[in-house]
Amino acid sequence: MFSSVCRLALGLLTASLSACAGQPPSTRPPNVILVVTDDQGWSQVGTHGNSVLKTPHLDRLALESAEFTRFYVSPVCSPTRASLMTGRYNYRTGVVDTYLGRSMMYADEVTVAEVLRAAQYRTGIFGKWHLGDHYPMRPSDQGFEESLVHKGGGIGQPSDPSGTSYFDPILQHNDRSQRFPGYCTDIFFQTAIKFIEKHRDHPFFVYLATNAPHAPYDVPESYIKPYRDQGLDEKDARIYGMIANIDENIGRLMAALDGWKLAEDTLLIFMSDNGPTTQHFTAGLRSQKTSVYEGGIRVPFFLRWPRKVKPSQIDRIAAHIDMAPTILEAAAVQKPKAVVFDGSSLVPILTGNSKNWPDRTLYLQSHRGNEPQLYRNFAAVTQRFKLVQPESFGNSLPTDPVFELYDVAEDPGEQANLATVFPHVVRSMKQGYEEWFRDVSSSRGYEPPRIPLGAAQENPVILTRQDWRVTRAPGSGWSDDDLGVWLVEVANSGSYEIGCRFAPQAQECRVELRVAELVLRQPLPQNSDSANFSDVRLPQGTTQLEVRILRNGNPTGPRYVEISGPNR
């Protein structure tokens, strides 16, 4: 959803670039393929010294690419993805975490897909979106003409349909649920390759974002066995097997580009969204996913563009916020004037024109909670130094947080804390971080986007625990014992049908619906797993919706709530 200024700018782009499809391959804009894996650490490719993990196709890609050896992302999924799509720090976009209503991106954020589509690119996403399951936040609302995605943060999580898995998953194809035969990573690559084949005579942007090697670590046995036979424990053998499958698919993708003679004019980018979930081999980097030590925020990054970019290793710091401006400059597409990037285009570095490349500081921060907190689990990174307060991703911030300083240019393993050696550097970087935190927090605040009910673009709406705001959480926030409310906006007043689904009840109880000014109750027989409320009259406007199952004074929440209407 654009502002009027952005819509006007994109309209002008559309008019001015409408002839690009007819240009010969050497002069038309380059194709762009952005491959993002899930929880694959910097050390989890063979070319980075991992002697156990075999990734021949990624190793070949690395040899043919410009590799940024210090490429940074957020320590968890959604924040990285928001920055990739917008070129902006995720705190500006509404995305602060990965679940419980904290990973929905505001629809007025302009994505790189929207800008490229307006410039006559064909745009497709295959895999993981994780920036909102509902209109107007879905990929189809945010610039992708074709989308094949799972819901929420992973296949089989509470936002996904019941009965799905990594094998024969139920996916959302252009916003319609459909079961696909096969293994999820294979499906995403196969569908992306078909999209490329269909549009190979036209500039295309493919966002290929796997949910592997994220838990639950499911992959065909043939990929696990070679690593289990080498003595890896079951978790590591499965993770390495998932990466081996990704590598195999990267090989298929590269072979397709070669076969269609597209490789020369295709910007092929490979990276991950955050650090790994295992410490089997770390290449000396400290910690893993959720941490702002190097192991949690430094990821592999290979960029191949044979016509323009020579293979090399680049030690300049770069980050997720740089992707959108880099892609747009490579495509010779101007961003809308109303859009303000936090990142910088890396094209000058990639093409050897970076003599005046300025020093800068990158900021990475993420933790559990509805709003960011100053100093909690953050890092400020320059070309030489890194200031870090690494505590409290999932816990409360200490009353007296301790700041650590590392010379990461010389000490990438972050072993020698230099905070007392360079107190002036600590003061300066801490002040810069504080200014950054105030700036990103002032962009729009942290009230989450509302989920529309009764809009023509999505009806019915299925609410899940992915997007509720927890009011009681004895479990993870996703369990049957937890409670939450959904922040919604009734698009059209009228009569709605509201169905609730929950775990089968072992005894007779009641279900209670609270929405707008209404409180409705009905009995639930023993073994019930659903209930329906008919002719629920809702006024237009913002409100919240809550469903509770009441038994023995111990309320619990539903698994899904489906709202359809209105009937006037």
Side-chain angles (χ1 to χ4, degrees):
M1 185 180 295
F2 293 129
S3 68
S4 59
V5 173
C6 291
R7 288 186 185 279
L8 176 61
L10 292 181
L12 293 173
L13 276 172
T14 300
S16 64
L17 297 171
S18 60
C20 68
Q23 296 173 342
S26 61
T27 58
R28 81 178 196 188
N31 310 306
V32 181
I33 303 174
L34 175 59
V35 180
V36 180
T37 60
D38 197 351
D39 295 359
Q40 183 175 0
W42 191 88
S43 62
Q44 292 180 324
V45 288
T47 192
H48 287 169
N50 196 317
S51 61
V52 175
L53 178 61
K54 303 304 180 187
T55 57
H57 302 292
L58 284 171
D59 295 350
R60 173 197 157 195
L61 179 61
L63 287 173
E64 297 174 356
S65 295
E67 176 184 359
F68 280 82
T69 59
R70 290 181 60 194
F71 191 89
Y72 290 96
V73 294
S74 294
V76 287
C77 307
S78 295
T80 289
R81 296 165 196 277
S83 293
L84 287 175
M85 288 295 99
T86 65
R88 291 156 55 79
Y89 282 114
N90 60 284
Y91 285 164
R92 300 192 194 278
T93 71
V95 175
V96 298
D97 194 3
T98 63
Y99 72 144
L100 305 184
R102 307 163 184 158
S103 63
M104 296 184 287
M105 188 169 75
Y106 268 94
D108 60 0
E109 290 291 329
V110 178
T111 71
V112 64
E114 288 175 296
V115 181
L116 289 176
R117 188 173 182 181
Q120 302 302 300
Y121 271 72
R122 312 312 295 262
T123 58
I125 177 174
F126 308 92
K128 179 170 178 174
W129 173 241
H130 205 185
L131 296 174
D133 292 332
H134 299 289
Y135 168 80
M137 297 169 280
R138 302 165 301 182
S140 58
D141 309 312
Q142 293 295 306
F144 290 100
E145 63 178 297
E146 181 163 349
S147 62
L148 180 67
V149 298
H150 59 75
K151 288 190 172 183
I155 292 177
Q157 291 184 2
S159 50
D160 247 2
S162 177
T164 191
S165 76
Y166 280 38
F167 299 95
D168 301 336
I170 301 171
L171 302 172
Q172 311 305 308
H173 186 214
N174 297 331
D175 303 323
R176 292 182 179 273
S177 289
Q178 179 181 342
R179 189 178 292 276
F180 285 76
Y183 180 63
C184 56
T185 303
D186 297 336
I187 294 165
F188 295 138
F189 272 86
Q190 289 163 4
T191 312
I193 290 170
K194 288 179 181 177
F195 178 87
I196 293 168
E197 181 179 22
K198 180 179 178 181
H199 299 297
R200 67 180 188 266
D201 295 327
H202 202 104
F204 57 78
F205 170 54
V206 167
Y207 180 31
L208 212 173
T210 69
N211 57 298
H214 192 288
Y217 312 126
D218 288 336
V219 68
E221 176 66 24
S222 60
Y223 294 98
I224 305 169
K225 187 176 184 302
Y227 296 106
R228 192 188 288 132
D229 289 349
Q230 293 182 67
L232 271 67
D233 65 30
E234 188 66 12
K235 175 183 173 181
D236 288 335
R238 287 176 171 273
I239 290 172
Y240 278 23
M242 296 172 89
I243 295 172
N245 172 264
I246 291 169
D247 182 76
E248 191 175 275
N249 277 291
I250 289 287
R252 293 190 184 105
L253 174 64
M254 294 168 68
L257 295 175
D258 290 340
W260 294 320
K261 295 180 170 42
L262 295 175
E264 188 78 6
D265 291 297
T266 296
L267 190 67
L268 174 58
I269 301 167
F270 175 86
M271 58 175 291
S272 180
D273 64 346
N274 48 247
T277 58
T278 173
Q279 294 282 282
H280 172 260
F281 174 76
T282 67
L285 301 185
R286 185 173 177 178
S287 201
Q288 60 187 49
K289 178 181 179 177
T290 75
S291 173
V292 287
Y293 286 126
E294 293 287 281
I297 59 176
R298 183 174 161 187
V299 296
F301 183 91
F302 311 134
L303 186 151
R304 189 185 75 169
W305 186 12
R307 188 171 294 280
K308 296 283 188 179
V309 175
K310 295 179 180 179
S312 63
Q313 287 197 325
I314 300 168
D315 70 351
R316 298 297 89 185
I317 59 173
H320 48 21
I321 54 174
D322 299 326
M323 279 301 88
T326 298
I327 290 169
L328 293 185
E329 182 171 354
V333 174
Q334 294 291 321
K335 71 175 178 62
K337 290 183 179 179
V339 173
V340 178
F341 286 144
D342 289 308
S344 300
S345 170
L346 302 175
V347 169
I349 297 179
L350 292 165
T351 56
N353 298 311
S354 59
K355 292 181 180 179
N356 297 318
W357 187 259
D359 290 337
R360 60 175 176 162
T361 305
L362 301 171
Y363 298 98
L364 296 314
Q365 179 172 2
S366 187
H367 50 75
R368 297 299 187 215
N370 291 341
E371 295 188 10
Q373 288 179 275
L374 188 70
Y375 305 136
R376 185 175 167 187
N377 201 52
F378 87 90
V381 185
T382 68
Q383 195 61 41
R384 178 183 178 186
F385 286 112
K386 178 178 177 184
L387 181 71
V388 60
Q389 195 297 106
E391 300 297 327
S392 310
F393 173 80
N395 303 306
S396 300
L397 183 71
T399 55
D400 188 18
V402 176
F403 303 96
E404 301 170 9
L405 182 72
Y406 298 98
D407 183 343
V408 283
E410 297 295 329
D411 177 24
E414 297 167 292
Q415 297 301 304
N417 182 2
L418 303 177
T420 58
V421 179
F422 298 107
H424 63 290
V425 175
V426 173
R427 286 194 299 270
S428 175
M429 294 186 70
K430 181 168 172 283
Q431 180 180 347
Y433 160 75
E434 291 166 348
E435 292 172 354
W436 170 84
F437 187 89
R438 287 193 295 270
D439 178 37
V440 295
S441 297
S442 67
S443 295
R444 64 165 82 243
Y446 297 109
E447 181 72 14
R450 297 263 173 171
I451 299 172
L453 305 181
Q457 294 87 343
E458 183 188 16
N459 205 328
V461 170
I462 298 177
L463 302 177
T464 74
R465 294 170 182 171
Q466 167 71 16
D467 296 324
W468 71 0
R469 306 293 278 198
V470 165
T471 56
R472 191 195 71 182
S476 64
W478 278 350
S479 75
D480 289 338
D481 291 329
D482 298 327
L483 290 174
V485 301
W486 288 275
L487 304 182
V488 298
E489 180 171 7
V490 180
N492 295 289
S493 61
S495 172
Y496 286 77
E497 304 293 316
I498 300 179
C500 316
R501 285 174 279 168
F502 33 80
Q505 301 302 297
Q507 63 190 67
E508 185 177 342
C509 53
R510 290 183 300 159
V511 61
E512 178 181 271
L513 168 69
R514 293 175 176 265
V515 58
E517 301 298 320
L518 299 175
V519 180
L520 304 174
R521 300 182 182 90
Q522 61 177 260
L524 286 177
Q526 186 179 13
N527 299 321
S528 295
D529 64 359
S530 62
N532 293 288
F533 293 87
S534 298
D535 194 24
V536 180
R537 299 280 173 171
L538 298 181
Q540 187 178 34
T542 59
T543 186
Q544 67 181 38
L545 185 149
E546 180 181 18
V547 174
R548 295 183 173 209
I549 293 92
L550 306 171
R551 62 175 184 274
N552 300 331
N554 180 34
T556 58
R559 291 181 175 175
Y560 304 96
V561 178
E562 183 172 320
I563 304 105
S564 60
N567 300 313
R568 292 190 176 89

